Amino acid sequence: RVKSELHRCEDIGLLTINILAAKAFLCFYEIGHGRYPVAYLTAGGCTRLALTLGLHDTKRAVQLTLRPNGWTEIEERRRIWWAAVVIDSKCVSIGFRLRPMSIPKLPTRAFVPADDDRFDLGQPAVSPVLVMSINSVIQVTSYAQTCQVVNLLGPVVDHINPSESNDPGIEYTYSEAMQLHRAATSLLTMVNDNYNMGDLRTKIRSSVPKALLYTALINLFFYHCAIEGDSIDLGGEESGIRAEFQQLALDNLGPLALDILNFGQDLTTMFTEHGMSWLSPLVIDCIFQASVYYAWRVREASEADSLEKLQALRSCLEILKQRWKNAGEYLRMSEETEYEWK
């Protein structure tokens, strides 16, 4: 019913900010309930509508909406634009891989959403830029951090889904991988500071950028930890470049998966104690990715400790599926392995 009404609005040329917001909410719903490839198509529609409205460049692109009436409307449009960017990155990186993103590369001086609490109260606040100086004193709240994470997730998506027609070379590929790793690790440190030191509301809001960073890092490590001989040159100068980052990926997968396990158990505790309405569908994938790592360790080394952690992650998904069906879909995928769960 909702989709048919949105299609009808598009057919009659009713293209507004409210229509874009409705499509974004619909896409988040489809992501949360594991509806692929439908969510991917809806995400593409969101980004195309956002670009059509001119939200990507409010200074130079022709605007198809009325001029915003004050700071609140400007900030609202910025937030809706970034929602389209978030779902585009999420759908491509998680639900439907080896597909290009719809959003073009964003300028480093693009503005991200302002302070969440001040926006809720209608109080103007300074909008941070996407890439900030390390000495900046402007407060970056959870939505802005999510946007910064998504800006990093985009290059990770491009990195692990390389185009055959545009091979940058081994040296550049591994140099880029190292830069992405350092950037994601630094950003995760800042997000963790907010998550660990904040109250319940801050932890809930910080859970999304934290989960997306986990997703970015674990996908980057998975991509580079393969050690099969047919995919790696065993001689020459390039082998050293490959081996360096492969070793880094192998060394960091275990600690990262353990961090995700602790994060998942923390989420389920909050979920049990404070209800389920706050849980974002964007946080669930990293839990499944960590379970993939532990399943791999069980298969490779028959580690009892890894099997125990695998069971714990599955228990997290069992609880979280009460809110979002995609957790149940991840459970179904895990049950189709060769492991005996009971």
Side-chain angles (χ1 to χ4, degrees):
R1 176 68 177 177
V2 173
K3 297 195 79 167
S4 63
E5 289 299 318
L6 289 174
H7 286 315
R8 188 173 69 86
C9 291
E10 292 175 356
D11 289 341
I12 64 176
L14 185 60
L15 306 179
T16 67
I17 298 296
N18 288 340
I19 296 297
L20 175 58
K23 288 178 72 72
F25 278 121
L26 176 62
C27 190
F28 277 114
Y29 175 86
E30 291 172 343
I31 292 172
H33 291 283
R35 300 190 62 190
Y36 287 97
V38 175
Y40 178 74
L41 299 176
T42 305
C46 284
T47 55
R48 285 300 181 189
L49 179 54
L51 293 171
T52 300
L53 293 174
L55 297 184
H56 63 294
D57 190 343
T58 56
K59 291 185 177 180
R60 296 181 299 173
V62 175
Q63 302 296 295
L64 299 189
T65 58
L66 297 175
R67 291 177 62 87
N69 183 21
W71 177 84
T72 301
E73 282 194 22
I74 294 174
E75 179 66 13
E76 182 181 41
R77 295 182 185 191
R78 180 175 295 127
R79 286 169 174 264
I80 294 173
W81 159 249
W82 277 105
V85 176
V86 169
I87 59 179
D88 182 48
S89 300
K90 182 67 175 178
C91 283
V92 173
S93 63
I94 306 306
F96 221 46
R97 297 179 182 175
L98 293 174
R99 269 72 176 180
M101 295 176 60
S102 302
I103 295 291
K105 185 176 180 179
L106 301 171
T108 58
R109 304 302 295 175
F111 288 112
V112 294
D115 184 279
D116 300 322
D117 292 328
R118 292 182 68 89
F119 172 72
D120 291 340
L121 296 173
Q123 298 176 354
V126 175
S127 295
V129 293
L130 185 57
V131 179
M132 300 178 62
S133 167
I134 194 172
N135 297 319
S136 176
V137 295
I138 298 176
Q139 183 180 12
V140 180
T141 51
S142 57
Y143 193 8
Q145 280 189 333
T146 300
C147 299
Q148 292 175 334
V149 171
V150 165
N151 186 57
L152 179 64
L153 187 58
V156 172
V157 171
D158 293 337
H159 181 83
I160 65 177
N161 298 309
S163 171
E164 292 185 359
S165 61
N166 184 26
D167 184 2
I170 294 298
E171 185 173 352
Y172 176 84
T173 297
Y174 283 86
S175 174
E176 181 184 54
M178 189 65 73
Q179 291 176 5
L180 290 171
H181 167 250
R182 290 170 180 163
T185 302
S186 298
L187 192 51
L188 181 60
T189 299
M190 291 187 287
V191 172
N192 278 337
D193 287 342
N194 290 342
Y195 184 86
N196 295 328
M197 299 175 61
D199 55 12
L200 175 64
R201 188 183 185 193
T202 302
K203 292 186 74 169
I204 289 173
R205 288 182 168 183
S206 299
S207 64
V208 174
K210 183 178 174 73
L212 291 178
L213 279 168
Y214 281 147
T215 294
L217 281 168
I218 201 166
N219 277 277
L220 184 65
F221 292 154
F222 276 150
Y223 180 73
H224 283 288
C225 73
I227 56 175
E228 286 77 7
D230 61 349
S231 62
I232 297 177
D233 297 327
L234 299 181
E237 295 180 2
E238 293 180 350
S239 63
I241 301 173
R242 290 178 184 270
E244 180 182 354
F245 197 83
Q246 284 169 350
Q247 189 61 55
L248 184 147
L250 289 168
D251 291 343
N252 282 274
L253 266 173
L256 179 62
L258 182 58
D259 285 348
I260 295 174
L261 171 59
N262 294 331
F263 174 60
Q265 292 176 328
D266 198 22
L267 287 179
T268 55
T269 299
M270 291 191 292
F271 186 85
T272 303
E273 295 178 354
H274 303 285
M276 62 180 69
S277 61
W278 58 269
L279 184 70
S280 169
L282 305 184
V283 306
I284 297 174
D285 178 80
C286 67
I287 298 174
F288 172 72
Q289 298 292 346
S291 73
V292 171
Y293 167 76
Y294 285 119
W296 174 53
R297 293 305 306 150
V298 172
R299 182 174 63 249
E300 294 288 347
S302 300
E303 295 174 344
D305 181 62
S306 292
L307 181 59
E308 182 180 339
K309 291 181 172 65
L310 185 59
Q311 295 279 20
L313 287 164
R314 186 176 183 273
S315 297
C316 292
L317 293 173
E318 187 73 45
I319 294 173
L320 298 179
K321 77 174 185 180
Q322 299 174 50
R323 179 65 178 94
W324 295 109
K325 291 182 181 178
N326 65 341
E329 288 298 306
Y330 284 135
L331 266 177
R332 179 184 59 79
M333 292 165 62
S334 68
E335 289 170 350
E336 292 176 354
T337 67
E338 67 269 31
Y339 304 108
E340 185 67 33
W341 296 102
K342 297 180 181 179

